[in-house]
């Protein structure tokens, strides 16, 4: 059994103070993909780098206090791929891939476009660059899981107030069409939606109003996998008993060993 966790921490130091690493010590995960570190290498404590038997790998953003992804593992990787090889993307610390035999695990933080039209254009540019990379990965014939904050709610079931968000970043027609293309023509699989067609599975809630208390959420954190790995996905859950950030961890168990 492989247990894989994806969690946007909205600041690794903040999440640590809220008990994230205490929780991690008790869930027996093989891989933990984290996003939005908002930290540089020198900001991380030893526990943040290597928590409880897990070795950490990181792709930091050049800008301090911004973005960044990490991946914790119990297993020694054969290869580490930091970034997509595109300077303007890699400067923001958004992609980290670890290879283990025929298995690849990716921690991804796709840009948000909600802050400005300029950032929305950056997001569209990222999607344009990323799709050919996803096509290439899909063609490799490996077992691949891409965990992370994709910042796109794919369908109406994936956010509570979909009617009010039709013109907002994260639920724009172009973004949703991109995701449809990924899961259709390119042939990737969305683990949660394949396992639970009728369950919303929200993973993010706005800090405004009573969004969390009223469960007015969005499902924007995914484990996107190759079909070979989808067949081995046994169960998935969103952990909400404690609150480490504005996102909740997504946990998936796979019937696979390394």
């Amino acid at each position: 059994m492989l247990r894989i966790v994806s969690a946007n921490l909205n600041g690794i130091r903040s999440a640590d103070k809220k008990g994230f690493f205490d929780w991690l010590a008790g869930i027996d995960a093989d891989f933990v993909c984290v996003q939005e570190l908002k930290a540089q290498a020198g900001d991380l404590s030893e526990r943040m780098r290597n928590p409880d038997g897990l070795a950490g790998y990181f792709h930091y953003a050049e800008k301090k206090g911004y973005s960044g992804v990490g991946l914790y593992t119990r297993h020694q990787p054969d290869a580490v791929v930091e970034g997509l090889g595109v300077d303007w993307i890699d400067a923001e610390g958004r992609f980290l891939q670890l290879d283990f035999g025929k298995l690849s695990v990716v921690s991804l933080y796709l840009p948000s476009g909600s802050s400005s039209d300029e950032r929305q254009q950056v997001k569209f540019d990222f999607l344009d660059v990323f799709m050919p990379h996803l096509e290439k990965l899909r063609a490799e014939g490996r077992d691949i899981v891409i965990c992370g904050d994709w910042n796109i709610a794919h369908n109406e079931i994936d956010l509570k107030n979909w009617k009010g968000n039709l013109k907002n970043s994260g639920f724009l027609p172009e973004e949703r069409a991109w995701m449809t293309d990924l899961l259709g023509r390119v042939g990737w699989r969305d683990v949660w939606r394949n396992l639970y067609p009728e369950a919303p599975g929200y993973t993010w809630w706005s800090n405004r109003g009573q969004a969390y208390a009223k469960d007015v959420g969005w499902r924007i954190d995914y484990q996107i996998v190759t079909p070979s790995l989808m067949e081995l996905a046994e169960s998935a859950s969103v952990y909400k008993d404690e609150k480490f950030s504005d996102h909740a961890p997504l946990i998936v168990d796979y019937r696979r060993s390394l």
Side-chain angles (χ1 to χ4, degrees):
M1 184 72 73
L2 279 182
R3 172 164 288 179
I4 303 180
V5 175
S6 185
N8 179 311
L9 301 180
N10 194 13
I12 191 170
R13 289 167 289 184
S14 169
D16 180 29
K17 287 174 186 166
K18 293 173 182 174
F20 177 74
F21 290 102
D22 294 327
W23 170 74
L24 209 56
I27 64 160
D28 197 28
D30 293 275
F31 303 104
V32 182
C33 301
V34 293
Q35 302 87 38
E36 210 169 351
L37 301 173
K38 292 186 173 179
Q40 308 298 123
D43 298 324
L44 270 53
S45 67
E46 179 55 32
R47 191 186 192 193
M48 292 177 206
R49 279 193 291 271
N50 300 295
D52 300 292
L54 293 162
Y57 296 81
F58 305 94
H59 182 205
Y60 304 102
E62 290 176 6
K63 183 178 168 184
K64 288 187 176 180
Y66 181 72
S67 191
V69 293
L71 218 166
Y72 298 107
T73 172
R74 296 189 186 284
H75 313 277
Q76 180 68 34
D78 301 322
V80 178
V81 181
E82 196 176 302
L84 291 170
V86 180
D87 289 349
W88 62 269
I89 291 175
D90 297 344
E92 295 192 351
R94 296 192 174 275
F95 183 93
L96 181 65
Q97 174 180 328
L98 270 56
D99 296 340
F100 307 85
K102 200 190 166 196
L103 175 70
S104 293
V105 183
V106 174
S107 185
L108 170 75
Y109 181 35
L110 208 144
S112 167
S114 59
S115 63
S116 67
D117 290 343
E118 182 187 22
R119 286 306 297 176
Q120 183 61 45
Q121 190 55 53
V122 168
K123 185 177 186 179
F124 284 141
D125 291 345
F126 183 102
L127 295 178
D128 288 344
V129 170
F130 196 35
M131 185 61 87
H133 188 79
L134 290 165
E135 292 171 343
K136 182 166 142 282
L137 284 177
R138 175 72 181 85
E140 287 178 0
R142 301 167 57 76
D143 290 341
I144 306 173
V145 53
I146 305 175
C147 300
D149 177 359
W150 292 68
N151 267 312
I152 300 171
H154 184 207
N155 290 314
E156 292 167 7
I157 190 175
D158 297 315
L159 71 168
K160 183 81 166 188
N161 180 23
W162 66 267
K163 286 182 182 174
N165 282 289
L166 289 166
K167 295 181 180 179
N168 290 337
S169 180
F171 200 57
L172 294 173
E174 301 95 324
E175 296 169 336
R176 297 171 62 199
W178 185 91
M179 190 69 82
T180 296
D181 192 40
L182 178 73
L183 300 173
R185 176 185 64 84
V186 188
W188 289 84
R189 301 287 182 267
D190 172 357
V191 173
W192 180 276
R193 190 53 66 224
N194 274 262
L195 287 175
Y196 311 120
E198 306 299 326
Y202 305 142
T203 59
W204 176 81
W205 299 262
S206 168
N207 287 319
R208 297 192 192 113
Q210 295 289 306
Y212 190 77
K214 295 178 179 175
D215 201 26
V216 180
W218 294 55
R219 188 175 75 95
I220 54 176
D221 301 87
Y222 298 82
Q223 294 195 24
I224 300 290
V225 300
T226 48
S228 56
L229 207 48
M230 187 65 235
E231 290 176 11
L232 303 175
E234 193 161 79
S235 62
S237 61
V238 177
Y239 180 76
K240 288 185 68 183
D241 292 352
E242 299 166 84
K243 197 167 189 280
F244 309 122
S245 85
D246 51 350
H247 294 250
L250 170 64
I251 307 162
V252 180
D253 288 334
Y254 299 87
R255 295 186 305 278
R256 190 195 195 280
S257 57
L258 276 186

